[in-house]
Amino acid sequence: MKKLLLPFVLLLLLIISACGNANESQGNEAEDKKSDTVTYESENGPIEVPADPKRVVVLASFVGNVLALDTNVVGVDSWSKDNPRFKDQLKDAEIVTEDDLEKIIELNPDLIIGLSTTKNIDKLQEIAPTVTYTYGKVDYLTQHLEIGKALNKEKETQAWIDEFKADAKVAGEDIKAKIGEDATVSVIENFDKQLYVFGDNWARGTEILYQEMKLKMPEKVKEMALKDGYYAISPEVLSEYAGDYVIFSKNTDGDTSFQETDTYKNIPAVKNKQLFEANAKEFYFNDPISLEYQLDFFKEKFLQQ
């Protein structure tokens, strides 16, 4: 009788063992699936995003933030695509807009980043987890940190921020020692047939000059551009907004005829060779790639003149 029972006992043990292994396997698979995502606390609430995104579509001016964190971008806006600083990393990226839903589907993104004003958010969320930000809601470095959190790279993002602030502070001290504590700096840009002057938070290097280096802004600029971030002016009144030093974010495909006028040529910063021209396409943004380039530009122009 014992001999007859033995095979059944062995069979029962094998079944129990198999069930245990299956449950363990299912548990591991569930754990692995869970570890593939993280919860990001966005401004609209918690959202499950990839722990290591591989194909990101960026429908806003945050492309450089994503690229700086060694994350692959497959879809971008046209302005970012035209930035020479991003050229190599975006050579295979497609230009897309919020309306190009079919094209975005074809890109097979695992994460989409946009603005709170981006259209078709509901439809984009059906394609991939979609994180949006309100432009200007937080300062430029906090914005980068938030993107770092969304990409599950908070630690390295904070490390870059700390290093950048320290470098900019030292450079600012060196520049003030060279040009004087009371010297003023203004930032202008031409776009189409219009001129703009900028406050302290509208990219073009303004965050570095005014926030980090603590350089002085001309009173007229402070009065008209500080609140909104920028202010449109005519070439005829440029001298009223020009500081002792001027950073000219220049669009060569825009109207630059004002540079041939006596009004422009007689501006003290121009006469004293203290107007520094930069490529506007490299100065549009305030992401780490752009900021590092702008900081090097300022060191060269202010300290090596």
Side-chain angles (χ1 to χ4, degrees):
M1 186 68 177
K2 289 182 180 180
K3 291 182 180 181
L4 292 174
L5 285 174
L6 184 60
F8 292 104
V9 172
L10 291 174
L11 180 61
L12 183 60
L13 288 174
L14 287 172
I15 293 173
I16 292 172
S17 176
C19 290
N21 290 334
N23 289 335
E24 182 179 353
S25 176
Q26 289 174 358
N28 290 336
E29 289 178 6
E31 187 63 31
D32 289 342
K33 186 175 182 180
K34 183 179 180 181
S35 66
D36 286 342
T37 64
V38 295
T39 302
Y40 171 60
E41 294 294 337
S42 75
E43 62 182 48
N44 297 317
I47 178 173
E48 289 294 312
V49 297
D52 184 22
K54 301 295 186 183
R55 300 180 61 81
V56 182
V57 167
V58 187
L59 300 172
S61 57
F62 304 128
V63 172
N65 302 86
V66 177
L67 293 176
L69 292 168
D70 296 322
T71 302
N72 183 42
V73 175
V74 295
V76 298
D77 63 288
S78 60
W79 282 49
S80 297
K81 184 75 170 180
D82 288 341
N83 188 332
R85 295 287 114 193
F86 305 158
K87 182 178 180 180
D88 292 340
Q89 290 171 282
L90 293 181
K91 64 180 184 297
D92 297 323
E94 296 286 338
I95 295 177
V96 291
T97 72
E98 57 210 330
D99 294 316
D100 296 328
L101 297 176
E102 291 186 7
K103 193 171 184 179
I104 292 174
I105 291 173
E106 291 174 1
L107 291 175
N108 191 31
D110 52 8
L111 180 65
I112 299 172
I113 296 176
L115 292 170
S116 57
T117 54
T118 298
K119 295 187 295 183
N120 297 318
I121 294 294
D122 291 344
K123 294 178 180 178
L124 291 169
Q125 289 172 336
E126 294 176 1
I127 299 173
T130 302
V131 175
T132 61
Y133 299 99
T134 300
Y135 189 84
K137 184 174 181 178
V138 296
D139 68 80
Y140 74 115
L141 293 178
T142 302
Q143 179 64 74
H144 182 50
L145 183 60
E146 283 301 313
I147 292 172
K149 291 177 182 177
L151 298 177
N152 197 28
K153 295 184 176 182
E154 180 178 0
K155 185 177 180 180
E156 47 264 65
T157 305
Q158 186 62 60
W160 179 88
I161 290 172
D162 295 340
E163 183 177 356
F164 171 75
K165 286 181 70 69
D167 289 347
K169 183 176 184 292
V170 171
E173 292 169 351
D174 292 342
I175 290 172
K176 281 187 283 188
K178 178 80 179 286
I179 70 176
E181 291 282 343
D182 295 325
T184 57
V185 181
S186 54
V187 180
I188 64 171
E189 183 175 282
N190 68 310
F191 188 78
D192 288 338
K193 297 183 178 182
Q194 186 66 62
L195 266 182
Y196 296 89
V197 64
F198 296 92
D200 66 353
N201 63 348
W202 212 259
R204 283 82 178 175
T206 57
E207 292 89 354
I208 299 175
L209 295 170
Y210 302 128
Q211 294 187 39
E212 304 304 330
M213 294 183 175
K214 310 297 183 185
L215 299 181
K216 290 193 173 181
M217 184 184 296
E219 286 300 318
K220 192 72 173 178
V221 176
K222 190 182 298 184
E223 176 187 349
M224 305 305 295
L226 190 57
K227 180 181 178 182
D228 294 331
Y230 64 94
Y231 183 70
I233 62 174
S234 65
E236 290 75 22
V237 300
L238 176 58
S239 60
E240 300 177 24
Y241 294 85
D244 299 312
Y245 292 81
V246 175
I247 308 300
F248 180 20
S249 176
K250 184 176 181 178
N251 278 296
T252 55
D253 50 358
D255 184 3
T256 59
S257 61
F258 69 92
Q259 289 187 282
E260 304 304 320
T261 66
D262 289 338
T263 301
Y264 174 82
K265 292 178 181 179
N266 287 323
I267 293 173
V270 177
K271 294 175 69 174
N272 297 331
K273 301 186 186 304
Q274 293 174 177
L275 181 142
F276 308 136
E277 290 189 5
N279 181 349
K281 289 180 173 61
E282 296 178 300
F283 258 55
Y284 282 148
F285 306 124
N286 55 14
D287 58 84
I289 295 173
S290 300
L291 290 167
E292 289 179 359
Y293 170 71
Q294 292 161 5
L295 181 57
D296 287 343
F297 178 93
F298 296 144
K299 289 178 182 177
E300 176 188 350
K301 297 300 182 180
F302 282 105
L303 299 176
Q304 298 179 20
Q305 57 172 324

